[in-house]
Amino acid sequence: MSRIVDPLIVGRVMGDVVEVFTQSVKLTITYGSNKRVSNGHELMPAVFMTKPRVEIGGVDMREAYTLILTDPDAPSPSDPHLREHLHWIVTDIPGTTDASFGREIVSYESPNPVIGIHRYVFVLFKQTRGRQTVRAPISRDHFNTKKFSEDNGLGLPVAVVYFNAQRETAARRR
């Protein structure tokens, strides 16, 4: 009998970034025309230089969601003293749509892994009060997803997906 191991647990996303939760909404992140983000898979830096397409599979356009992108391994996985570094926040995203219909409160900053393999984590929250005021943090560094959720009354995530990336060296560019 084989056991299915959750990649969010194996990748320490649950624990480091979010509490244990049950995914209840489909979240699809695609860079470019065909680079879909899958938990734990590696993407090359050239792929994520521009904002991804974010599709939310909610069931009601009247529901609203908040999406964040964070790096819990900044500046390096062996010394993540900036943990977490915030790369993006979009709020008021209608269900059954994509993030371009939301309100960007922290602009997209493309990930830039300099040392080691970084995890880049997309976390989706359902806004409990429909369109609500979600406040932007003061700084991108030392961001804390759990505290952000608590401060803004968002509760547990409804979906999380992450990818790994490392600096693209000349030897890897064959």
Side-chain angles (χ1 to χ4, degrees), residues 60-146:
D60 188 340
M61 286 288 288
R62 294 171 292 187
E63 294 174 338
Y65 295 87
T66 293
L67 177 76
I68 67 166
L69 170 59
T70 184
D71 174 3
D73 301 316
S76 75
S78 61
D79 182 23
H81 67 269
L82 298 178
R83 177 175 286 170
E84 303 165 34
H85 182 80
L86 179 65
H87 287 272
W88 197 26
I89 297 181
V90 182
T91 67
D92 297 333
I93 306 166
T96 70
T97 188
D98 69 70
S100 65
F101 291 97
R103 187 171 59 93
E104 190 176 65
I105 64 170
V106 175
S107 63
Y108 183 79
E109 176 184 272
S110 58
N112 184 23
V114 178
I115 300 169
I117 300 170
H118 289 244
R119 298 166 292 167
Y120 293 98
V121 184
F122 289 93
V123 182
L124 184 69
F125 295 98
K126 182 177 177 184
Q127 295 173 201
T128 55
R129 296 182 298 273
R131 304 289 187 273
Q132 69 187 66
T133 301
V134 174
R135 294 175 309 281
I138 296 167
S139 170
R140 289 181 186 260
D141 289 331
H142 306 291
F143 180 78
N144 184 298
T145 299
K146 296 172 195 173

Side-chain angles (χ1 to χ4, degrees), residues 12-50:
R12 297 180 340 273
V13 171
M14 280 194 199
D16 285 356
V17 180
V18 298
E19 299 293 341
V20 175
F21 75 101
T22 301
Q23 181 162 326
S24 58
V25 173
K26 184 178 180 186
L27 174 63
T28 305
I29 310 286
T30 308
Y31 280 99
S33 59
N34 64 354
K35 295 291 184 187
R36 181 175 282 174
V37 174
S38 296
N39 283 326
H41 289 204
E42 184 175 5
L43 293 179
M44 296 303 207
V47 170
F48 46 77
M49 297 308 293
T50 59

